[in-house]
Amino acid sequence: MVSRRGPLKSAVPSNIVSPVRRCSRTACGRPAVATLTYVYADSTAVLGPLATYAEPHCYDLCAPHSERLTAPRGWEVVRLTDGSAPARPSGDDLEALANAVREAARPQERAVEGGGKGARGADPVEVGRRGHLRVLRSPDN
């Protein structure tokens, strides 16, 4: 049987409830960027990246309130940095990358030594591997 009323609409549209989590501080409506948790047994306040979901004993804070956070006397504040944010590459990083690309593009010249080790002795030794990257030990070491 087909309904004459049409598709079901949401119960009550609201402009009051927002899907963005807000700062827990009174009268602050800014969006939350960090979560504050207290570890009472260690007298520690832990301020870290915004938690995946809101919990009853945690406080979401906006950027200004998280920067100005202080703890009671005798307590320690531990600030955890967000590792998921991409760090901006420095000049040294870009130069190291360019040098690695230049080195990889150079033709390999292997000196074959007579007697002793042969061509295989000049190759670096693989020490470790992570994905497609290899860690090589210098043949001199």
Side-chain angles (χ1 to χ4, degrees):
M1 180 173 216
V2 178
S3 172
R4 286 188 281 166
R5 289 195 266 173
L8 183 65
K9 303 217 186 224
S10 79
V12 177
S14 174
N15 294 338
I16 298 172
V17 178
S18 170
V20 177
R21 288 176 27 205
R22 300 289 175 187
C23 183
S24 298
R25 296 291 302 260
T26 306
C28 181
R30 292 183 284 248
V33 297
T35 298
L36 173 66
T37 306
Y38 291 106
V39 181
Y40 293 98
D42 297 333
S43 300
T44 304
V46 180
L47 183 67
L50 189 62
T52 307
Y53 54 91
E55 293 191 30
H57 300 289
C58 296
Y59 302 93
D60 295 337
L61 298 176
C62 63
H65 283 128
S66 64
E67 290 168 5
R68 293 191 316 244
L69 175 75
T70 59
R73 185 176 297 145
W75 282 57
E76 180 182 0
V77 176
V78 175
R79 294 178 187 269
L80 304 175
T81 58
D82 184 8
S84 65
R88 296 199 53 151
S90 68
D92 292 339
D93 294 337
L94 295 176
E95 185 176 348
L97 179 62
N99 290 338
V101 169
R102 285 187 202 110
E103 184 68 29
R106 276 193 203 133
Q108 295 292 329
E109 296 179 19
R110 297 184 181 173
V112 178
E113 298 175 5
K117 300 180 197 175
R120 190 72 185 142
D123 287 343
V125 177
E126 185 174 327
V127 177
R129 181 179 284 265
R130 177 175 277 179
H132 67 281
L133 301 175
R134 298 183 310 170
V135 177
L136 303 176
R137 183 178 303 140
S138 173
D140 298 335
N141 294 344

